[in-house]
Amino acid sequence: MERKVLLAPSLLAADPLNVAGSIAKLENNYDWFHLDIMDGHFVKNLSFGPEHAKALRKAYPDAFIDAHLMTDNLNVVLPLFINSGADLVTVHAEVEPQMLHATLSNIKKAGLKVGVSLCPATPVANIEHVIDIVDLVLIMSVTPGFGGQKFIENSLKKVRELVSLREVNKLDYLIEIDGGVNENNAARIALAGVDVLVAGSSVFDSENPAQWLKNVRANIKEAIENLGRA
Ligand code: DX5
Ligand code: ZN
């Protein structure tokens, strides 16, 4: 079966005064929109909120909106995203870990796809009790909060761990990586077993974001084909 690797531009790196203009530059070469929600508490930055998800849903009715909640206070924040138009809501495993299973179950019950995310310091072991109920596991490959940081190579160990856990347990969650992905390392990261590549600054700061996406897609295809031949 052909492996499909999805490309999810992170709108954190879009022009804050003209997000639609930045999206237009992608010329429909994206698979998902990655929308970072930050609260100035769980991470040291602020970004988008539910109104942005709603506006995206309205302007791009067919788009898949991948909301990455880097927030505490899920009792308040989650209800804001339930009917926001987001297709998938990911919460961090570090937030109220004792409630994680219940939190993820509630997101599912609300009819959304659900993801769980790990900061670089958090081991995969911390989410083993929920991998059977999630649609996606998001591995942060930089310190969450800011775009433009360098990819942490050790993140790939977690990807490999998740690939083997998925196989052993016959599960089907997607593995997403977020942070420090660029044109040079994307194919190598995909080969480690990543299904969804998030990329912010590298895409939107490039001269031609549509071409960036086409190049990365071609590089990944070639890398996977070469692996098949090896
Ligand atoms: C960081 C965010 C990322 C960010 C990635 O906390 O979760 O989605 O936009 O940015 P780059 O691709 O620039 O590392
Ligand atoms: Zn993110």
Side-chain angles (χ1 to χ4, degrees), residues 73-108:
N73 224 357
L74 291 175
N75 284 344
V76 173
V77 177
L78 268 179
L80 301 175
F81 279 89
I82 296 304
N83 289 312
S84 67
D87 294 281
L88 181 145
V89 170
T90 294
V91 298
H92 266 265
E94 300 82 6
V95 182
E96 296 188 298
Q98 77 283 12
M99 296 301 294
L100 187 60
H101 196 281
T103 304
L104 297 170
S105 306
N106 287 337
I107 299 173
K108 272 186 100 155

Side-chain angles (χ1 to χ4, degrees), residues 6-14 19 22-23 25-36 48 56 64-66 176-178 196-204 209-210 212-213 217:
L6 304 173
L7 303 182
S10 172
L11 300 181
L12 188 66
V19 174
S22 294
I23 290 174
K25 289 187 186 166
L26 305 173
E27 294 171 6
N28 285 316
N29 289 288
Y30 56 88
D31 297 295
W32 291 3
F33 288 139
H34 184 79
L35 189 67
D36 286 312
F48 300 111
L56 278 174
F64 188 94
I65 301 173
D66 165 29
E176 179 174 45
I177 204 130
D178 185 6
V196 188
L197 283 168
V198 176
S201 50
S202 177
V203 182
F204 287 108
W212 190 103
L213 292 164
R217 219 180 276 288

Side-chain angles (χ1 to χ4, degrees), residues 41-57:
H41 191 253
F42 180 71
V43 290
K44 297 182 193 309
N45 200 0
L46 295 162
S47 60
F48 300 111
E51 295 307 317
H52 295 93
K54 284 182 197 158
L56 278 174
R57 170 55 63 231

